[in-house]
Amino acid sequence: MKAIVLLLAWVSVTYALDNGLGLTPPMGWNSWERFRCNTDCVNDPENCIGEKLYMQMADRMAEDGYKDAGYQYINVDDCWMAKERGPDGRLQADPVRFPSGMKALGDYIHSKGLKFGIYEDFGTETCGGFPGSKFFMESDAQTFADWGVDLLKLDGCYSNIQDMTSGYPIMEFFLNKTGRPILYSCSWPAYFVANSKIPDYKAIAKSCNIWRNFDDIQDSWESVVSIVGYYGKNKGNFSDVAGPGSFNDPDMLIIGNFGLSREQQRSQMAMWAIMAAPLIMSTDLRKIDPYSKALLQHKEVIAINQDRLGKPGALLVDMNMIQFWIRPVTPEGSVAFAVLYTGSAGTPEKLSVQCQSLGMVGPGAYNVTEVFDGHFIGMFKPTSNINITVNPSGVFFAKAVYLGDQK
Ligand SMILES: *[C@@H]1O[C@H](CO)[C@@H](O)[C@H](O)[C@H]1NC(C)=O
Ligand SMILES: *[C@@H]1O[C@H](CO)[C@@H](O)[C@H](O)[C@H]1NC(C)=O
Ligand SMILES: *[C@@H]1O[C@H](CO)[C@@H](O)[C@H](O)[C@H]1NC(C)=O
Ligand SMILES: *[C@@H]1O[C@H](CO)[C@@H](O)[C@H](O)[C@H]1NC(C)=O
């Protein structure tokens, strides 16, 4: 195996939105990937987009350990609205599926010690065809504040991207004007990328706490690999603007659903930790199996994701479907690293890698611990080699704590 030695200069300029929110990547749950726009509460009352679903997920978050692990937000996604605005021009929830109304749902979520997220769209309609915020931004921001909303995800269907550069900051202005701290999640760059344009990430980080850069995640390994590949390329240098208050969002965790093997679920969890990604689950917390639940609540993985430096990892090299990623973490000089085998056929790969190729550039030694099982691997110098086994579609995920120059 070739030795790879890359010294990275970590950029420390901050462009963060100054609302005190999202100082580490936000953690929560969102209905979209798992429950989509299922509005059929007659035939599918357990799984339709309605207040019952969100109340039940809030119960599971609060009672089943997720809240204690750090998950906070219960995010309503598209298809919650009535097809028309009210006579006063205000947004209103579908009266059949949300009979108690959104303020009551927010109160319920808050009563569990959790936070309330909602979805709107920058254009004339949401992606699902419900009323969009165009021409109504100020009153929609106020409506959300009145309902006790803590997070707004603003999508970008039915609009044109030329308007986004001024329009997304205007919504931020109106959110700020309400006086209620509302974490702002923008789909702005994803629409630029979908139109083959490079977004202005400095401007985005000034107005948004988190932002989607790329395609929606789907319930498959191919989708996870495609997203990780996009983040590895870092086109437009979006990693440089990430930090406390501002994070790139590679979309939801699909752990606990149908499309990923156990190995692949670990890979998603490790990579989202390396990328300093928001940890927004989209799975049925009422039916999740113990393996996926434990993974979503894994203390050490979450600690790396939430590392207070807030610096996302970088892809150093991709060799024959084996990717080397490193992320700087605390204590000072330490790194988390992931060796990801994106191929899903074959046998486990055995590698011997020089430590400095994994971000351990010294001058002193490191204590290296495998993250998932907590196994202490040993004390290593930058020039020593570490033995790694990585399974197909699996990951080797470790933390190297810098011990300083001990001579
Ligand atoms: C509004 O913006 C100001 C200036 O950036 C900031 O200090 C304040 O915390 C913001 N308030 C809210 C509610 O976001
Ligand atoms: C990204 O960074 C590289 C290396 O510093 C630089 O050459 C490139 O112009 C930057 N691209 C953008 C879009 O800022
Ligand atoms: C590093 O590992 C060595 C050997 O197990 C141990 O003696 C030492 O306490 C560890 N140092 C830290 C800072 O964890
Ligand atoms: C790595 O594997 C080689 C070959 O099996 C072995 O000689 C060496 O001791 C191993 N190194 C460590 C640090 O375990």
Side-chain angles (χ1 to χ4, degrees), residues 218-292:
Q218 307 298 335
D219 192 7
S220 73
W221 176 240
E222 289 66 34
S223 175
V224 170
V225 169
S226 145
I227 289 170
V228 169
Y230 186 81
Y231 281 75
K233 290 195 187 82
N234 191 24
K235 195 171 175 193
N237 300 331
F238 50 77
S239 286
D240 292 355
V241 301
S246 311
F247 292 100
N248 295 284
D249 179 6
D251 211 4
M252 291 162 268
L253 295 168
I254 54 171
I255 293 163
N257 294 332
F258 315 108
L260 299 186
S261 69
R262 289 188 165 192
E263 205 70 48
Q264 293 163 352
Q265 293 181 53
R266 276 190 167 201
S267 294
Q268 192 190 18
M269 198 68 190
M271 293 315 300
W272 263 235
I274 286 283
M275 294 190 290
L279 297 180
I280 309 292
M281 310 177 281
S282 190
T283 187
D284 192 342
L285 301 177
R286 302 166 302 189
K287 295 181 180 161
I288 192 166
D289 72 76
Y291 178 88
S292 302

Side-chain angles (χ1 to χ4, degrees), residues 93-274:
D94 182 281
V96 175
R97 294 180 285 118
F98 293 85
S100 314
M102 297 317 265
K103 169 86 171 66
L105 178 58
D107 289 346
Y108 185 84
I109 290 169
H110 292 145
S111 78
K112 299 282 164 178
L114 300 170
K115 292 184 170 167
F116 176 31
I118 209 162
Y119 169 101
E120 237 296 20
D121 191 281
F122 174 73
T124 52
E125 287 178 29
T126 72
C127 300
F130 295 85
S133 266
K134 191 166 188 182
F135 311 122
F136 293 92
M137 278 195 196
E138 182 164 19
S139 92
D140 288 354
Q142 192 55 54
T143 300
F144 297 145
D146 293 345
W147 288 345
V149 162
D150 304 298
L151 177 153
L152 170 65
K153 172 177 169 183
L154 194 65
D155 210 340
C157 280
Y158 301 105
S159 67
N160 64 63
I161 62 170
Q162 286 77 26
D163 295 344
M164 290 181 176
T165 306
S166 57
Y168 270 86
I170 290 172
M171 183 54 119
E172 190 277 314
F173 173 82
F174 289 133
L175 290 172
N176 183 282
K177 202 175 157 211
T178 67
R180 184 176 176 84
I182 297 177
L183 193 140
Y184 188 29
S185 164
C186 300
S187 300
W188 169 12
Y191 285 84
F192 269 69
V193 169
N195 284 280
S196 307
K197 298 259 189 313
I198 296 189
D200 178 353
Y201 283 107
K202 288 179 190 167
I204 289 161
K206 255 186 222 151
S207 288
C208 308
N209 293 113
I210 62 175
W211 53 84
R212 286 281 311 285
N213 311 56
F214 190 55
D215 295 348
D216 284 3
I217 198 163
Q218 307 298 335
D219 192 7
S220 73
W221 176 240
E222 289 66 34
S223 175
V224 170
V225 169
S226 145
I227 289 170
V228 169
Y230 186 81
Y231 281 75
K233 290 195 187 82
N234 191 24
K235 195 171 175 193
N237 300 331
F238 50 77
S239 286
D240 292 355
V241 301
S246 311
F247 292 100
N248 295 284
D249 179 6
D251 211 4
M252 291 162 268
L253 295 168
I254 54 171
I255 293 163
N257 294 332
F258 315 108
L260 299 186
S261 69
R262 289 188 165 192
E263 205 70 48
Q264 293 163 352
Q265 293 181 53
R266 276 190 167 201
S267 294
Q268 192 190 18
M269 198 68 190
M271 293 315 300
W272 263 235
I274 286 283

Side-chain angles (χ1 to χ4, degrees), residues 367 376 379 403:
N367 273 5
F376 178 68
M379 202 195 268
L403 305 173

Side-chain angles (χ1 to χ4, degrees), residues 294-374:
L295 188 54
L296 287 165
Q297 297 186 5
H298 198 293
K299 231 177 138 192
E300 300 310 320
V301 182
I302 290 173
I304 291 170
N305 172 275
Q306 295 286 300
D307 190 90
R308 64 180 170 75
L309 294 180
K311 284 287 159 213
L315 172 64
L316 296 187
V317 67
D318 184 344
M319 292 191 300
N320 298 325
M321 298 191 291
I322 297 182
Q323 300 183 356
F324 293 80
W325 286 77
I326 67 170
R327 175 180 173 182
V329 292
T330 53
E332 182 78 34
S334 304
V335 288
F337 63 90
V339 181
L340 177 72
Y341 186 0
T342 57
S344 53
T347 54
E349 287 281 347
K350 290 191 191 316
L351 312 166
S352 174
V353 189
Q354 204 176 43
C355 288
Q356 57 192 352
S357 306
L358 295 165
M360 289 177 255
V361 290
Y366 296 79
N367 273 5
V368 180
T369 305
E370 200 281 337
V371 179
F372 286 111
D373 64 15

